[in-house]
Amino acid sequence: MILDRFRLDDQVAVVTGAGRGLGAAMAVAFAEAGADVLIAARTQSQLDEVAEQIRATGRRAHVVAANLAHPDDTAALAAQAVEAFGRLDVVVNNVGGTMPAPLLDTSTKELRDAFAFNVATAHALTTAAVPLMLEHSGGGSIVNITSTMSRVSGRGFAAYGTAKAALAHYTRLSALDLAPRIRVNAIAPGSILTSALDILASNDELRKPMEEATPLRRLGDPLDIAAAAVYLASPAGSYLTGKTLEVDGGITHPNFGFPIPDL
């Protein structure tokens, strides 16, 4: 059965930034596909809620509350997963983000911080996880969460877009280094209705222009990203590595702009 190829039965996944939004949706989806999941984020109460959803599927959840802006804390998650579950098969580098700002208001420190949060954390967890994947599972899958802003231009996104573009190319480079036993792919989400965009859910004046600028005429749902993650992590995606799935409704330019004036 083709649907069997999307199963993750008895595998173990680590999902960072899993307290809400995309991370939470991916973690629960992995559990529904048969995996046990280590979920990590900063806020214990949010993680506890996601853990309840995972356990409701009949799978196990392990919660780690940590400040994942620090690469050392992110790297430690790999060993914690093996300690909790005895193996490690899937890593989702989801934690990241950077506040938008005009280019001339973006300091070099803020640019470095964007790289640390979006790229160094992913590298730290990847390099910690791969030896354990090979030792305990013989292989595995890594999924990096980039962004549409890694490939299109929009004002205010210099730090964020540049860091996510670096993560996208890191995906291609690390996939070659880790082949054939570890697959590395990425998902580039467009505008997804998570808590970060809560204001849009009830504001037609803001939401409708974004929908109209999107070829599929809607904003994304976290489950759109979760489905892509299950595909990349599971045997269904076993012939993909070094690739980025653009789950963005078909946009070729930003569907939202910050009101940053001309110089």
Side-chain angles (χ1 to χ4, degrees), residues 74-207:
T74 310
L77 300 176
Q80 289 171 297
V82 172
E83 182 178 354
F85 299 125
R87 60 185 293 157
L88 179 56
D89 304 272
V90 178
V91 166
V92 179
N93 288 306
N94 173 62
V95 70
T98 303
M99 291 298 293
L103 178 68
L104 296 184
D105 293 337
T106 301
S107 68
T108 54
K109 179 183 183 303
E110 288 167 332
L111 188 62
R112 288 194 302 270
D113 288 347
F115 272 83
F117 195 29
N118 292 276
V119 184
T121 55
H123 178 65
L125 180 51
T126 296
T127 53
V130 165
L132 297 176
M133 288 175 158
L134 296 175
E135 177 184 355
H136 295 280
S137 302
S141 175
I142 295 169
V143 180
N144 297 321
I145 306 301
T146 65
S147 169
T148 295
M149 297 311 302
S150 69
R151 65 179 179 85
V152 302
S153 300
R155 285 186 174 180
F157 291 102
Y160 177 74
T162 302
K164 288 299 190 182
L167 182 60
H169 196 47
Y170 176 86
T171 297
R172 292 186 283 270
L173 295 170
S174 58
L176 191 59
D177 276 5
L178 301 178
R181 294 173 68 186
I182 304 288
R183 296 185 299 109
V184 188
N185 293 289
I187 301 170
S191 298
I192 311 296
L193 283 170
T194 65
S195 57
L197 295 181
D198 272 348
I199 191 173
L200 299 178
S202 58
N203 190 322
D204 289 347
E205 186 177 344
L206 293 175
R207 188 185 71 254

Side-chain angles (χ1 to χ4, degrees), residues 22 148 189-194 197 200-201 206-228 246-256:
L22 302 185
T148 295
S191 298
I192 311 296
L193 283 170
T194 65
L197 295 181
L200 299 178
L206 293 175
R207 188 185 71 254
K208 285 186 175 180
M210 293 179 67
E211 293 173 336
E212 291 169 0
T214 304
L216 290 184
R217 300 296 187 264
R218 70 174 177 89
L219 302 185
D221 185 280
L223 290 179
D224 295 322
I225 307 303
E246 298 170 0
V247 186
D248 55 17
I251 63 174
T252 58
H253 58 276
N255 58 4
F256 176 79

